[in-house]
Every structure is written in C-alpha cells, then in structure tokens.
Amino acid sequence: MVGRRAAVLGSPVAHSLSPVLHGAAYEALGLAGWTYERVECDAETLPGLVTGLDDGWVGLSVTMPGKKAALAVSSSASWRARHLGVANTLVRADDGWVADCTDVDGVSGALRGAGVRSVPGIAAGTVDAVLLGAGGTASAAVGALYDLGNEAVTVIVRDPARAADTLEVARAYGMNRRAIRFDEVVDADLASAKALINTTPAGSVDDALASRLVDALPSWAVVLDAVYHPWPTPLAAAAGRRGLAVATGLDMLLHQAFGQVEQFTGQPAPRAAMHEALVRATGFEVRSP
C-alpha cells in the first residue's frame, strides 16, 4: 500500500504517546511507508494547518487545546462529535475532513476493562457515576457513561457555573444530572455510584479529598483517573487501600486509539500489538484490551 501520513496535533505535544500506538499499529498491519508524527499546533493555528494538508494525509489525532477547532474545521461529523461539541479525530474524505470523538471509546473501554457493571437494586435516578471536572474529557465521559447504561451523573467542580457545558451534554442524553462543589461532597452523594472518573489535571485532587471521595464509594465502584503520571495518584492510592478497581489515563489512551487506527486505515486495530507497545514505552501496567 502506498505510504500515507498521519499525526497528532496539540500544544504541548512533545509528550504524546500516540505515535507509539499508531506506529505499532501500522507496523503490525504491514503498512509500509505509513508515518505518524507529532505536530505542535494550538486552536488558532489548527484550521489553517488542516486545510493546507495535501492528499497524502489520511488522518489526524487532536489533543488539547484544539478539539473544538477540529470539529469546526470538519466538513462533516459523527453524531457524538456534534453532540459533544468536540472532536479528537479527523479523517480524510473527498470533501474535506470527517470529525469524530473516540475519547468516548477511551472512557468506556477503560471502564469496561476495570469491570464497571450494572448493580441490581439501585433505583433509577440515583447517582450512577461521579465526574471530577467539567472540561472536554468530562463531556466525553458523559457520552461513555450513557453508552454503558448510566442514567444519572454528579459533576463535582470548584465552581458549578463552569459545569454548564457538561451538564448540557448530560441533559441532551436524557440523564439526571447536577453539579456540586468539592466542599459539598458528603457520603450520601456517592453511595450508589458505579464509577468515579477524574478528569482534572494532576495535582487537583490531594490526599485528603481523594480519601474523602473514595471512602464514600460502594465496594463495587470503579475509579478511573485520567492522570497517569506521576503514579499512583492520590485517588488511585486511596482506591487501592479500599480494594477498588482502578483504570488510568493510559487505558483511556489505548482504547481511544483503536477507533482512530481503524478509521485511518480501514482495517481492524491490532489491539495486542498496540497494548504491548504502550507497556514497553511507559513501563506502566496497562489493562489488556
């Protein structure tokens, strides 16, 4: 097959592990001549860069801060990308670029791998899941939670006014939702939660808050922390002390990359090869897909 080009766009992007995953996938698929690189690009420069790429480019992964700009520059978009208002994936089409948000798959895949499940006896409308933070990753997490059958979400933020976009996504999915401040968390708020997902930056959750949150969870809950370095995070450490299942940002990264590879290449993602490459590159434990 003729060589093709792909890349991850973001700022900063030097730390991105996406080239590890895509490079391993292309090699396993026998796609000689295919390349995948890092391109430093912010939201303002993304439109000009994307529209200037030639036909040799088949796909783009988009990380922060360009996910809204990626959706805006697309010629068409998947339902979930339009619904969430962000895109982390652009795929070459005859009339431009098709946008998608495989971040949803990243969250749902990580949660499934860690064993999130439905729990009989929990009444509809109670707290199915808890989100820390209300940025783009939180909105994608709402989509994943809906796909997993969750009916209600509590968003915990420092300022509830900043949760408006995430709550709107939950409303459009028909989910019960609310936003509360970090200092408003009480045990009853989390007693029926199947999952706790942290989408805040490293350092946002200290040991005291982590213990308070995790101690309020039921024994069947799964903790997903989008942060994976430094590890263990306070949330992961607190969950470990309670014996709860934990998933990481690396699990999310792996699962979101599967869909990107498949959309870029038109072939099934070589999941085992991608998993092995990520473990080798990081030295961290990553759940097998």
Side-chain angles (χ1 to χ4, degrees):
M1 183 177 289
V2 176
R4 292 289 186 265
R5 300 180 71 182
V8 56
L9 310 183
S11 183
V13 77
H15 66 284
S16 174
L17 292 166
S18 290
V20 171
L21 292 165
H22 284 258
Y26 302 162
E27 180 178 0
L29 293 172
L31 299 177
W34 281 54
T35 62
Y36 188 98
E37 59 197 83
R38 300 177 183 91
V39 177
E40 187 77 16
C41 175
D42 60 22
E44 289 69 32
T45 57
L46 184 146
L49 188 152
V50 171
T51 56
L53 297 177
D54 63 35
D55 291 342
W57 290 82
V58 295
L60 300 167
S61 309
V62 183
T63 187
M64 297 302 291
K67 293 184 180 183
K68 288 187 176 181
L71 179 63
V73 80
S74 65
S75 54
S76 60
S78 66
W79 180 88
R80 61 185 179 181
R82 293 195 304 271
H83 190 71
L84 296 172
V86 293
N88 76 324
T89 305
L90 291 171
V91 183
R92 172 70 74 182
D94 291 340
D95 61 346
W97 296 89
V98 178
D100 190 22
C101 186
T102 66
D103 284 334
V104 175
D105 305 324
V107 175
S108 61
L111 289 174
R112 284 193 181 98
V116 72
R117 59 191 176 91
S118 298
V119 180
I122 291 183
T126 57
V127 178
D128 278 329
V130 179
L131 284 176
L132 305 184
T137 301
S139 292
V142 170
L145 290 167
Y146 177 82
D147 288 347
L148 291 169
N150 291 268
E151 298 179 345
V153 62
T154 289
V155 182
I156 303 177
V157 287
R158 300 197 186 280
D159 177 8
R162 300 184 64 181
D165 288 347
T166 302
L167 294 176
E168 174 58 23
V169 170
R171 184 205 63 77
Y173 275 114
M175 299 172 69
N176 292 315
R177 67 274 172 202
R178 63 173 173 167
I180 61 175
R181 296 193 305 269
F182 278 82
D183 58 7
E184 293 178 329
V185 175
V186 295
D187 289 2
D189 291 325
L190 311 186
S192 59
K194 290 180 283 187
L196 170 66
I197 304 173
N198 178 35
T199 67
T200 64
S204 298
V205 178
D206 60 18
D207 291 334
L209 178 58
S211 294
R212 185 181 178 189
L213 290 165
V214 171
D215 288 348
L217 294 171
S219 60
W220 58 75
V222 169
V223 173
L224 169 55
D225 199 332
V227 177
Y228 58 84
H229 184 75
W231 191 261
T233 64
L235 270 177
R241 289 192 295 270
R242 277 209 59 198
L244 303 183
V246 178
T248 77
L250 290 176
D251 297 306
M252 291 170 53
L253 180 69
L254 178 65
H255 282 274
Q256 65 82 31
F258 294 151
Q260 289 187 339
V261 166
E262 291 174 355
Q263 292 186 54
F264 292 0
T265 69
Q267 299 188 48
R271 297 187 172 213
M274 294 170 70
H275 173 258
E276 291 167 8
L278 187 59
V279 171
R280 285 197 306 270
T282 63
F284 286 109
E285 179 181 352
V286 183
R287 292 179 182 274
S288 298

